[in-house]
Amino acid sequence: MKLWTMLGLWWSTCKMEKDRNARLKACMLVLLRRRMQIRTRNALTRCCLIHPDVSEWHHLYNYGTDANLINVLSIDRASFNFLLKVFTRVYPKQKAAGRKRLISSATALGILLTFYTDTCGNKTPCRMFGITPSTLSLVLKQAEQALERALLLIPEAGIYWPSKDDQRRLAEAVKRKTDGLIDGRWGFIDGKNYPVVEPTNIDLQNAMYNGWLHCFCFAADGTVAWGKHNFVGSWNDGETSRDFVEALINPDLSLEGHGVVADTAFPVSSACFSRIITPLKEGEIEKVPFELRGFVLQRSAAITSLRQAAEWGMGAVEKVYRRLLLKLPYNQTVRHRRLNNIYRLYNFRVRRTGISQI
């Protein structure tokens, strides 16, 4: 019902009662109700923001030390400049017609890396870079797509299976770390469940009641050697790591007698019995001859200690790229791109700066 129609009805009713105060009260109530139905949108506008050329980001980029940049962007200045050269080649170019773009490729890359390393909302990046929320959303979308293409062109950001020489080298490092108790292990595998925005479809909710699973294998040098994203949460570790097991038992890809460490819940088939080792499960020590129990317990404790490396690796990624602590987008394409970018950035960071928790 329109506003004037409602006022007319109230006015006619009050006229019959010949009560002027009642008429005024009726009008005020209708107007108040109408005012409450109007939504007020509050947002940052261009007039209240600093110009992007003199923003906090430009001061940090021009005068910040490597420690400052690692804290904000996750990588040092040399690594950022190296990544920027590749990123600029794939970032959308300035159109010939129209207004001059205020956001350069360096600023766009800075916005995206800051977005990945922080859990803040849109207001903080807007103030830091001097851009409006609409511009921020557009830049994030374009920059994330450009970064995906850029990282594919950088070998140091690659997620690839280690060569046989690398497997031997990494296994020697693990052997020294465990005083010779663990031999032939070059990596650690584990699954990860990141929170995802809940789908509206009830059938999808039932199928994905346990979220979305992601499986990763960390090498002993701290890099991600293998990974798969976006498995339905109702799947088990055996289903999510099937491709990994096939690569592990392939003699063309893996050294004989070499493999990885996993937790007790990880399924180990007969085909990869010697390739994947796990700590002792509850009650298994009773099956071991008494004279060997001391050595077996000591070796199981060493395996458990190594298993923590996978947990540290997962935690290291989240500590650096804190966006993973928030719910990921439900759109599978966007979520896959974001996870892929973050884990490739993590490898790039480890190989360029040498910073790793493993």
Side-chain angles (χ1 to χ4, degrees), residues 17-47:
E17 299 177 0
K18 298 180 180 180
D19 188 347
R20 184 174 179 275
N21 292 332
R23 296 180 194 176
L24 294 176
K25 291 180 181 178
C27 292
M28 292 299 296
L29 287 173
V30 174
L31 292 174
L32 179 61
R33 181 177 180 182
R34 196 67 174 176
R35 176 65 181 84
M36 294 175 63
Q37 292 176 349
I38 300 175
R39 296 182 179 180
T40 303
R41 297 185 62 184
N42 301 312
L44 291 173
T45 56
R46 176 73 268 164
C47 63

Side-chain angles (χ1 to χ4, degrees), residues 25-175:
K25 291 180 181 178
C27 292
M28 292 299 296
L29 287 173
V30 174
L31 292 174
L32 179 61
R33 181 177 180 182
R34 196 67 174 176
R35 176 65 181 84
M36 294 175 63
Q37 292 176 349
I38 300 175
R39 296 182 179 180
T40 303
R41 297 185 62 184
N42 301 312
L44 291 173
T45 56
R46 176 73 268 164
C47 63
C48 72
L49 296 169
I50 193 171
H51 195 277
D53 291 342
V54 291
S55 63
E56 296 177 20
W57 152 252
H58 277 275
H59 188 81
L60 172 68
Y61 181 63
N62 291 329
Y63 305 106
T65 63
D66 283 342
N68 302 145
L69 294 177
I70 289 175
N71 180 264
V72 177
L73 305 177
S74 78
I75 52 179
D76 56 21
R77 183 177 299 278
S79 301
F80 180 84
N81 292 335
F82 178 84
L83 178 60
L84 178 60
K85 290 181 181 179
V86 184
F87 180 82
T88 304
R89 288 157 45 189
V90 296
Y91 189 68
K93 306 298 182 183
Q94 170 72 46
K95 294 182 179 180
R99 293 180 300 176
K100 181 181 178 182
R101 178 187 291 171
L102 295 177
I103 305 301
S104 63
S105 57
T107 303
L109 182 58
I111 291 173
L112 182 59
L113 294 183
T114 304
F115 175 77
Y116 282 164
T117 58
D118 210 338
T119 58
C120 60
N122 290 343
K123 291 185 291 186
T124 300
C126 287
R127 294 197 302 267
M128 181 177 180
F129 292 90
I131 56 178
T132 59
S134 58
T135 303
L136 175 65
S137 299
L138 177 62
V139 170
L140 283 176
K141 181 180 178 180
Q142 293 178 342
E144 204 161 25
Q145 294 173 351
L147 183 63
E148 181 183 29
R149 297 192 295 270
L151 291 175
L152 292 176
L153 302 176
I154 302 177
E156 290 172 304
I159 299 176
Y160 46 79
W161 195 264
S163 65
K164 291 185 176 181
D165 290 337
D166 289 336
Q167 292 177 32
R168 188 178 293 107
R169 175 179 56 82
L170 295 171
E172 287 296 325
V174 172
K175 185 177 180 179

Side-chain angles (χ1 to χ4, degrees), residues 183-194:
D183 189 18
R185 306 300 110 177
W186 55 264
F188 326 95
I189 188 168
D190 198 7
K192 183 65 179 178
N193 191 332
Y194 288 122

